[in-house]
Amino acid sequence: MQLSLTASPASSCSSRFGLHKRDTQPVSGRACTSDTQCVQFRSDQIVRSSKHEKTSRLGEYACINGACRYTVQAGELCRTANDCAAFHTNQRLDLNVSSSSWCAPQFCSLESTCGGAWTLPGAPEDAPPDAESRRPVTNGTVTCCRGLPANSQCALISASVDTCGSGYACDSRNLCINQEPHQQQVWIGVLLVLVGGATLNIGLNLQKYAFRKHQSRLPVQETADDKDEDESPVPEPASPICRFRNKLQSLPIGSPYWAIGLVVFVLGNATNFIALQFAPQSLVAPLGAVALVTNVIIAPLLNNERIGLFDVGGIALIIAGCVIVVVFSGIVQQNLRLCMLIQLLRARPTVIYLCIISVAIAATYMFLWSIERALKRHESEDANLTIFNKWIRPVSPSSRYVRFGLPLAYASMGSLMAALTTLFAKSLVNLLSTSLFDHENQFTSFVPWCILLVTVFTAASQVYWINQGLLRYDALLQVPVFYVVWTVLDIIGGGIYFNEFKLFTTVKYVLFTLGVAVIFSGVGLLANRLKST
């Protein structure tokens, strides 16, 4: 049956790609003698205005039994086995691959309904149901193509459509091999995160050095302020603007050391974000904690902080735990498109994880707010108390909430914000990579811009809370706790959001948990510094 392309989904897709039709006759069903002839029919339909042509496609026309037919690779939507490139390759090469079904729900993945092969320029109009639904795939709702198994003979249909199963690729020997991330790219990611972690740590300690210098000048200023207060018999309640100004004055913003430290810290974070493009989050996150070695070297030199045996032992345990976690971490697909990211974000485990992080941020903030005000009430009874402060009981500086709770809360607050930053930055890096290198603009809706705004907001919040912790407490305590909590949350977040735990065996789960336990043991040794803060 000959149908016009004038109002089809394929034609609307063509307009999005900057294409216009030359031949209105559909390719499907046209007589042919070779795959090349079918590809030429498809090329004659449209003129590509873009210079970027891909050598591989998710779907392409092939000459099947003397007629052109559109075939797709593994994981793409299908109606029958005749839609699957692997099915025809199995028949052409007489591979005798046994399979009860070449088109079934169990072969679908998150990417199956993300506008794949059936929305390419020149694709037939009679696409399977849900080809552009962008709904999460559940078994039984749609059917997808099976691919050829590992180590079997393979071929590229029409020299562009891979016929191997998901996770495998047809190599130069025409064999289906495991498509692991390129080792060279992984090592680039490892190198970047090591450099970024060390750079970030140097930035933190430079900021701590600036804080210490700034604090040494405060007593003189406070004495002058006390004289002014004696001359004023009635204290005026501080307005929110005044309180905000006082907080800014407590930061060494004018110090060149603080400015350089902030720039170095931002550059370190940027390097870590770039590393997310080359290596999985579960690998990048633990390696960031290796920068604690830099902290042991830099902190004593800049901030006159002494190192004890507990510090060395704690950091050694953290590094050992990180190595275990790295070895038994998961691998995740890179270059996820917006549709897949949205489906991953809507998954129930991801929603639960983000809710837990949000509740933890709110609870930590309320703890800091209440304890700080309780300390002020203990230091001086203020007659001008707000209705909220009147319900807060005074707390002594020797209280465990002050000695133990506040240092850990400040470090944890920065870590929670950093965990969200990494999660959304990983998504942002994927969107940018797909837009820039695959020439598929992902920033056509409000969702990518929301991801960008959340990344910027959480990154700025991370810097703020880290600085607040460094202003009050020892860098040899704040930095390790920040890194460890951040690392653990990043690993968990990567496993949940990017499905990095889907291939875990029982042994991997046990050893992964052991690595996390070793990290926490190191935190326990570092917590010994709380006695001196």
Side-chain angles (χ1 to χ4, degrees), residues 229 232-238 382-384:
E229 290 177 0
S232 179
V234 180
E236 294 292 335
D382 190 353
N384 299 299

Side-chain angles (χ1 to χ4, degrees), residues 114-143:
C114 279
W118 298 96
T119 59
L120 292 176
E125 65 173 21
D126 53 340
D130 298 327
E132 287 190 291
S133 66
R134 299 179 183 271
R135 294 187 295 105
V137 173
T138 55
N139 286 343
T141 57
V142 293
T143 53

Side-chain angles (χ1 to χ4, degrees), residues 426-500:
K426 171 73 173 178
S427 302
L428 184 62
V429 167
N430 276 276
L431 296 176
L432 290 172
S433 175
T434 303
S435 299
L436 296 176
F437 300 107
D438 293 339
H439 310 290
E440 298 178 12
N441 186 14
Q442 302 295 297
F443 292 84
T444 56
S445 65
F446 75 97
V447 176
W449 296 104
C450 287
I451 293 176
L452 174 61
L453 291 176
V454 171
T455 303
V456 173
F457 173 76
T458 54
S461 301
Q462 166 193 344
V463 173
Y464 172 79
W465 288 109
I466 290 174
N467 278 295
Q468 291 298 311
L470 291 173
L471 178 64
R472 294 166 171 81
Y473 303 104
D474 193 341
L476 279 176
L477 170 66
Q478 287 292 300
V479 175
V481 173
F482 166 77
Y483 269 122
V484 171
V485 177
W486 181 14
T487 298
V488 173
L489 291 176
D490 269 1
I491 294 171
I492 296 174
I496 293 175
Y497 184 42
F498 296 106
N499 292 326
E500 294 178 1

Side-chain angles (χ1 to χ4, degrees), residues 40-227:
Q40 186 61 44
F41 289 153
R42 192 262 303 168
S43 299
D44 289 341
Q45 276 193 338
I46 52 180
V47 176
R48 182 175 295 271
S49 61
S50 171
K51 298 180 181 180
H52 307 294
E53 292 280 355
K54 290 187 177 181
T55 57
S56 62
R57 285 171 59 94
L58 300 175
E60 185 58 276
Y61 290 95
C63 191
I64 308 296
N65 298 325
C68 294
R69 185 179 185 90
Y70 195 68
T71 61
V72 299
Q73 72 175 26
E76 292 295 317
L77 295 178
C78 59
R79 292 154 300 192
T80 65
N82 283 320
D83 292 332
C84 302
F87 170 74
H88 295 292
T89 301
N90 183 50
Q91 291 186 328
R92 286 181 174 183
L93 301 180
D94 294 326
L95 300 179
N96 296 321
V97 176
S98 60
S99 176
S100 58
S101 176
W102 287 91
C103 181
Q106 62 264 29
F107 305 127
C108 293
S109 64
L110 284 173
E111 202 170 6
S112 298
T113 57
C114 279
W118 298 96
T119 59
L120 292 176
E125 65 173 21
D126 53 340
D130 298 327
E132 287 190 291
S133 66
R134 299 179 183 271
R135 294 187 295 105
V137 173
T138 55
N139 286 343
T141 57
V142 293
T143 53
C144 302
C145 284
R146 177 186 188 267
L148 298 174
N151 301 319
S152 68
Q153 190 177 358
C154 61
L156 296 179
I157 288 287
S158 301
S160 59
V161 180
D162 201 322
T163 55
C164 295
S166 299
Y168 296 89
C170 193
D171 68 354
S172 57
R173 300 169 297 173
N174 292 330
L175 294 176
C176 290
I177 61 170
N178 192 11
Q179 194 177 22
E180 295 289 345
H182 297 296
Q183 194 68 23
Q184 183 179 2
Q185 289 189 356
V186 173
W187 278 110
I188 291 175
V190 170
L191 179 61
L192 285 175
V193 74
L194 290 177
V195 173
T199 304
L200 186 152
N201 201 287
I202 293 173
L204 286 176
N205 278 281
L206 282 173
Q207 292 178 70
K208 177 64 179 179
Y209 177 77
F211 281 128
R212 187 168 59 84
K213 290 291 186 182
H214 183 70
Q215 289 290 91
S216 64
R217 303 190 189 99
L218 288 181
V220 177
Q221 298 175 1
E222 289 175 355
T223 303
D225 293 340
D226 291 339
K227 292 181 180 179

Side-chain angles (χ1 to χ4, degrees), residues 149-374:
N151 301 319
S152 68
Q153 190 177 358
C154 61
L156 296 179
I157 288 287
S158 301
S160 59
V161 180
D162 201 322
T163 55
C164 295
S166 299
Y168 296 89
C170 193
D171 68 354
S172 57
R173 300 169 297 173
N174 292 330
L175 294 176
C176 290
I177 61 170
N178 192 11
Q179 194 177 22
E180 295 289 345
H182 297 296
Q183 194 68 23
Q184 183 179 2
Q185 289 189 356
V186 173
W187 278 110
I188 291 175
V190 170
L191 179 61
L192 285 175
V193 74
L194 290 177
V195 173
T199 304
L200 186 152
N201 201 287
I202 293 173
L204 286 176
N205 278 281
L206 282 173
Q207 292 178 70
K208 177 64 179 179
Y209 177 77
F211 281 128
R212 187 168 59 84
K213 290 291 186 182
H214 183 70
Q215 289 290 91
S216 64
R217 303 190 189 99
L218 288 181
V220 177
Q221 298 175 1
E222 289 175 355
T223 303
D225 293 340
D226 291 339
K227 292 181 180 179
D228 294 338
E229 290 177 0
D230 292 340
E231 298 174 359
S232 179
V234 180
E236 294 292 335
S239 65
I241 297 178
C242 291
R243 289 197 298 267
F244 179 73
R245 184 181 60 188
N246 291 336
K247 284 188 176 181
L248 287 180
Q249 290 177 350
S250 66
L251 298 175
I253 297 178
S255 170
Y257 294 105
W258 185 85
I260 294 173
L262 180 61
V263 172
V264 172
F265 177 81
V266 171
L267 288 176
N269 272 296
T271 306
N272 284 334
F273 293 159
I274 296 173
L276 290 171
Q277 176 60 27
F278 297 95
Q281 180 174 318
S282 61
L283 179 61
V284 170
L287 290 177
V290 176
L292 294 175
V293 177
T294 310
N295 187 58
V296 174
I297 299 173
I298 298 297
L301 295 177
L302 289 179
N303 299 310
N304 298 325
E305 297 172 1
R306 301 179 61 183
I307 303 174
L309 292 178
F310 285 107
D311 301 324
V312 177
I315 291 176
L317 284 175
I318 290 172
I319 294 175
C322 288
V323 171
I324 297 174
V325 168
V326 168
V327 173
F328 298 99
S329 60
I331 299 297
V332 66
Q333 178 185 353
Q334 305 294 316
N335 295 333
L336 301 176
R337 290 183 291 156
L338 177 61
C339 176
M340 293 186 65
L341 291 174
I342 292 176
Q343 292 189 23
L344 291 171
L345 192 62
R346 290 176 176 173
R348 182 176 299 177
T350 304
V351 173
I352 295 175
Y353 171 77
L354 292 177
C355 287
I356 292 175
I357 295 293
S358 300
V359 170
I361 289 175
T364 306
Y365 178 80
M366 290 304 299
F367 174 82
L368 290 169
W369 182 85
S370 58
I371 297 300
E372 292 284 1
R373 278 155 181 77

